[in-house]
């Protein structure tokens, strides 16, 4: 049979049978396959799906699975409160999911345009460093769209919603609860200084049209954090009480606290910090394998972005695999939330050229 392109017209009212399949129910039964969406384009960059002359792989569904899907949606509708608002919410949910799938398959674009304005931050910035600020909406008088972060590195970021401003959507001169709207700002920021690396989490949203069925849209965000030039390694440091001091020890029954990531590369050697703890008069770090970092700078950055301790001039013991610094007092307390930055020593100042005589 002739393949029928799944144009925008077909996409709205239902796609035809997949290529090579008979449209008669008697010949295919529940195994008959149907296209789920418009076929993706081959060799076309016009963005007009009706101009596609051929198709690549396109999602299909059998008639049997389609029947099962209808039963699932019917059951979802029956779980609601029976209101037209709930039914419309479910309808919008599936339409939104279909549109999002279509745009991503068509050209990889994001239907929602909800990516963060800033996805590249400098490491060690204080808690509250702004990642993204935007307007969001809801229903009058104070039913805001729900927004939250979850999965992955979500605990390292936060979202704060501002006070609402009323909007007379229907312009009838009065504000009606549940019909007119509000808008408000949302600010996404860090909760502590971040070491260099990639941080991933999901942004979850329930928009005002989805209040009746509480449908959440999920968008993946990735934030890249970069370190200053000359940085050898950056890590979280959450010391806990170990004997007479506080710190991190990764072996034996004394495994406690947190230092992450512990492994890093310097030169051609990959090493791991196996312990890092401080007492009243010394700080000791062990490496496996040992790397001579006696001239490096070890900064500990607090939540407000300031350096609470900078260690320099370590004494190295290659046999013990240890670096040691003398301190005048215990350098940190159990449960502190610190960021460790290990930096190369600064380059020596150039020797001035003597003036000609």
């Amino acid at each position: 049979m002739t393949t029928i392109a799944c144009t925008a017209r077909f996409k709205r009212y239902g796609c035809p049978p997949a290529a090579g399949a008979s449209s008669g129910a008697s010949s295919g039964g529940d195994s008959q396959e149907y296209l789920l969406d418009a076929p993706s384009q081959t060799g076309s960059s016009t963005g007009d799906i009706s101009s596609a002359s051929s198709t690549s792989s396109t999602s299909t569904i059998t008639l049997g699975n389609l029947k099962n899907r209808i039963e699932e949606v019917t059951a979802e509708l029956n779980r609601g409160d029976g209101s037209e608002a709930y039914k419309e919410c479910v309808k919008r949910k599936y339409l939104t999911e279909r549109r999002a799938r279509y745009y991503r398959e068509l050209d990889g674009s994001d239907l929602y345009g909800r990516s963060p304005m800033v996805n590249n931050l400098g490491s060690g910035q204080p808690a509250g460093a702004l990642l993204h600020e935007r307007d969001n909406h809801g229903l009058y008088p104070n039913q805001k769209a729900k927004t939250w972060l979850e999965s992955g590195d979500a605990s390292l970021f936060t979202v704060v919603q501002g006070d609402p401003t009323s909007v007379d959507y229907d312009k009838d001169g009065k504000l009606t609860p549940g019909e007119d709207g509000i808008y408000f700002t949302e600010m996404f920021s860090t909760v502590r200084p971040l070491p260099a690396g990639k941080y991933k989490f999901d942004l979850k949203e329930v928009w005002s049209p989805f209040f009746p069925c509480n449908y959440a849209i999920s968008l993946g965000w990735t934030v890249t954090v970069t370190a200053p030039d000359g940085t050898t390694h950056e890590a979280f440091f959450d010391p806990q009480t170990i004997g007479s001091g506080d710190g991190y020890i990764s072996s034996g029954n004394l495994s406690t606290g947190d230092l992450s990531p512990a492994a890093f590369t310097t030169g051609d050697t990959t090493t791991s910090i196996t312990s890092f703890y401080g007492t009243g008069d010394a700080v000791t770090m062990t490496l496996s394998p040992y790397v001579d970092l006696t001239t490096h700078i070890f900064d500990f950055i607090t939540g407000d972005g300031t350096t609470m301790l900078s260690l320099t001039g370590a004494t190295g013991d290659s046999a013990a695999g240890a670096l040691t610094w003398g301190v005048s007092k215990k350098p940190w307390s159990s449960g502190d939330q610190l960021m460790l930055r290990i930096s190369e020593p600064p380059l020596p100042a150039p020797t001035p050229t003597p003036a000609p005589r």
Side-chain angles (χ1 to χ4, degrees):
M1 64 174 281
T2 302
T3 301
I4 302 174
C6 192
T7 62
R9 178 172 62 87
F10 278 117
K11 182 180 185 311
R12 181 173 180 180
Y13 296 107
C15 291
S22 170
S23 60
S26 61
S27 62
D30 282 356
S31 63
Q32 169 69 58
E33 290 187 345
Y34 290 83
L35 298 175
L36 277 173
D37 287 300
S40 54
Q41 300 177 59
T42 301
S44 172
S45 59
T46 64
D48 179 3
I49 59 175
S50 64
S51 69
S53 58
S54 60
T55 65
S56 59
S57 60
T58 304
S59 300
T60 62
I61 190 171
T62 64
L63 180 58
N65 287 336
L66 182 59
K67 291 176 180 178
N68 293 336
R69 200 73 188 95
I70 292 172
E71 291 179 358
E72 292 172 0
V73 175
T74 301
E76 182 176 2
L77 288 170
N78 292 337
R79 287 195 297 269
D81 58 9
S83 67
E84 289 302 316
Y86 180 85
K87 294 177 182 178
E88 179 65 21
C89 182
V90 173
K91 176 182 175 182
R92 284 175 178 262
K93 164 188 170 180
Y94 287 106
L95 180 60
T96 299
E97 289 178 347
R98 184 170 185 170
R99 283 176 174 170
R101 185 172 66 249
Y102 168 67
Y103 278 98
R104 287 167 185 162
E105 289 180 354
L106 184 66
D107 59 10
S109 64
D110 184 355
L111 167 66
Y112 311 111
R114 302 292 242 182
S115 298
M117 291 187 304
V118 177
N119 60 5
N120 198 317
L121 294 175
S123 66
Q125 292 193 38
L130 185 64
L131 173 70
H132 185 52
E133 183 175 351
R134 68 179 188 185
D135 284 340
N136 209 335
H137 303 83
L139 295 177
Y140 179 82
N142 194 27
Q143 193 173 7
K144 298 178 180 179
K146 303 174 187 176
T147 305
W148 69 98
L149 309 176
E150 65 178 44
S151 74
D153 301 303
S155 63
L156 302 176
F157 302 87
T158 187
V159 55
V160 177
Q161 295 180 333
D163 295 329
T165 298
S166 303
V167 182
D168 183 8
Y169 279 159
D170 53 16
K171 301 188 183 303
D172 62 355
K174 58 182 180 180
L175 295 170
T176 305
E179 294 182 7
D180 287 311
I182 58 173
Y183 73 88
F184 54 93
T185 59
E186 285 183 328
M187 292 180 289
F188 299 82
S189 57
T190 60
V191 300
R192 58 178 291 179
L194 299 177
K198 287 188 179 295
Y199 299 84
K200 297 182 178 182
F201 55 90
D202 291 330
L203 166 65
K204 299 285 189 175
E205 296 187 88
V206 178
W207 299 345
S208 53
F210 299 125
F211 287 163
C213 61
N214 201 38
Y215 167 59
I217 294 170
S218 181
L219 301 172
W221 276 13
T222 299
V223 178
T224 302
V225 177
T226 55
D229 291 342
T231 299
T232 299
H233 182 54
E234 292 184 332
F236 289 123
F237 187 45
D238 183 8
Q240 300 297 323
T241 299
I242 302 172
S244 61
D246 296 299
Y248 159 85
I249 298 179
S250 64
S251 60
N253 296 327
L254 293 178
S255 179
T256 187
D258 184 40
L259 193 152
S260 175
F264 61 98
T265 299
T266 174
D268 296 327
T269 302
T270 298
T271 187
S272 292
I273 300 172
T274 55
S275 67
F276 207 149
Y277 57 95
T279 58
D281 58 1
V283 172
T284 303
M285 184 181 79
T286 57
L287 293 165
S288 180
Y290 177 76
V291 177
D292 185 4
L293 300 178
T294 53
T295 61
H296 281 58
I297 303 167
F298 291 70
D299 289 328
F300 294 86
I301 300 172
T302 62
D304 63 3
T306 60
T307 300
M308 58 87 70
L309 177 66
S310 185
L311 299 175
T312 57
T315 299
D317 184 343
S318 58
L323 299 172
T324 304
W325 297 263
V327 293
S328 59
K329 63 179 181 179
K330 185 177 173 180
W332 48 70
S333 299
S334 178
D336 281 350
Q337 298 282 304
L338 304 172
M339 192 192 99
L340 167 66
R341 174 182 289 156
I342 305 175
S343 305
E344 297 174 354
L347 295 174
T351 302
T353 303
R357 294 185 178 182

